[in-house]
């Protein structure tokens, strides 16, 4: 019996990725537009409108989902959303889930004075280093409101004291 082997990433795509030293490809999938989505040890590489790739480090992926052939990615701190149609997803959805989950150090939801809440997330980059923190305010709250921001920062300071992060 012959085992099926995953198709190799084309050399031209690998060259266009310009991988950092020590960065390895973990999974890849062709897109409907003829490009590829590539999951590496440090980032998710998504096709860009200019024909190259946008690199989203794993700790910057707030949410990712796979539905009806589409990979949906939301970056942290109100960053852009990405929607890519994959023709043969292979192990990309599972790899994305595993890599994003691996960066999470702490998540905490807190109520804010006056109603509403904030989700505070601490994420560690895949290549190591300090924890990076982000705030996701509930719909209807202004993330630029200095009062809300100050409350969220105080909650974060309390969390850091309690956890030693």
């Amino acid at each position: 019996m012959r085992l099926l082997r995953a198709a190799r990433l084309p050399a031209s795509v690998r060259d266009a990725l310009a991988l950092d030293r020590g960065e390895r490809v973990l999974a890849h999938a062709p897109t409907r537009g003829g490009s590829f989505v590539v999951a590496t040890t440090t980032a998710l590489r998504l096709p860009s409108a200019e024909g190259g790739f946008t690199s989203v480090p794993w700790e910057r992926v707030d949410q990712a989902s796979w539905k009806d052939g589409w990979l949906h990615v939301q970056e942290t701190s109100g960053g852009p959303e990405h929607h890519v149609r994959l023709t043969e997803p292979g192990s990309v959805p599972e790899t994305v889930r595993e890599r994003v989950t691996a960066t999470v150090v702490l998540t905490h939801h807190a109520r804010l004075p006056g109603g509403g809440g904030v989700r505070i997330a601490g994420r560690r980059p895949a290549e190591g280093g300090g924890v990076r923190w982000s705030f996701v305010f509930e719909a209807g709250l202004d993330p630029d409101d200095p009062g809300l921001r100050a409350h969220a920062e105080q909650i974060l300071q309390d969390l850091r004291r309690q956890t030693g992060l």
Side-chain angles (χ1 to χ4, degrees):
M1 181 169 118
R2 186 172 162 210
L3 295 175
L4 294 177
R5 189 174 165 164
R8 295 187 68 96
L9 187 63
S12 61
V13 174
R14 182 177 284 282
D15 292 344
L17 290 170
L19 299 175
D20 292 330
R21 184 176 178 88
E23 184 178 12
R24 293 179 298 111
V25 172
L26 301 174
H28 64 277
T31 68
R32 188 169 187 188
S35 186
F36 283 82
V37 166
V38 181
T40 75
T41 50
T42 61
L44 180 62
R45 306 294 185 98
L46 301 163
S48 68
E50 299 80 32
F53 289 91
T54 297
S55 182
V56 183
W58 294 116
E59 73 275 9
R60 297 264 321 141
V61 177
D62 184 48
Q63 295 179 10
S65 63
W66 170 250
K67 185 176 181 184
D68 298 327
W70 287 86
L71 179 64
H72 304 280
V73 177
Q74 171 64 57
E75 291 189 38
T76 58
S77 302
E81 291 183 26
H82 307 275
H83 307 281
V84 185
R85 178 123 188 170
L86 304 180
T87 57
E88 298 173 33
S91 63
V92 166
E94 294 85 3
T95 303
V96 169
R97 179 181 196 88
E98 183 274 325
R99 298 308 290 185
V100 170
T101 301
T103 68
V104 177
V105 175
L106 179 121
T107 60
H108 178 77
H109 186 270
R111 302 301 307 158
L112 294 170
V118 61
R119 181 171 45 92
I120 300 171
R123 314 279 292 279
R124 192 174 311 276
E127 62 273 7
V131 175
R132 297 180 185 168
W133 298 94
S134 64
F135 300 111
V136 179
F137 291 90
E138 288 181 356
L141 297 178
D142 180 4
D144 297 322
D145 179 309
L148 288 178
R149 202 88 182 146
H151 283 290
E153 290 284 351
Q154 183 57 55
I155 293 166
L156 172 57
Q157 292 309 313
D158 292 343
L159 281 171
R160 292 185 75 183
R161 252 191 317 277
Q162 292 169 13
T163 62
L165 296 172

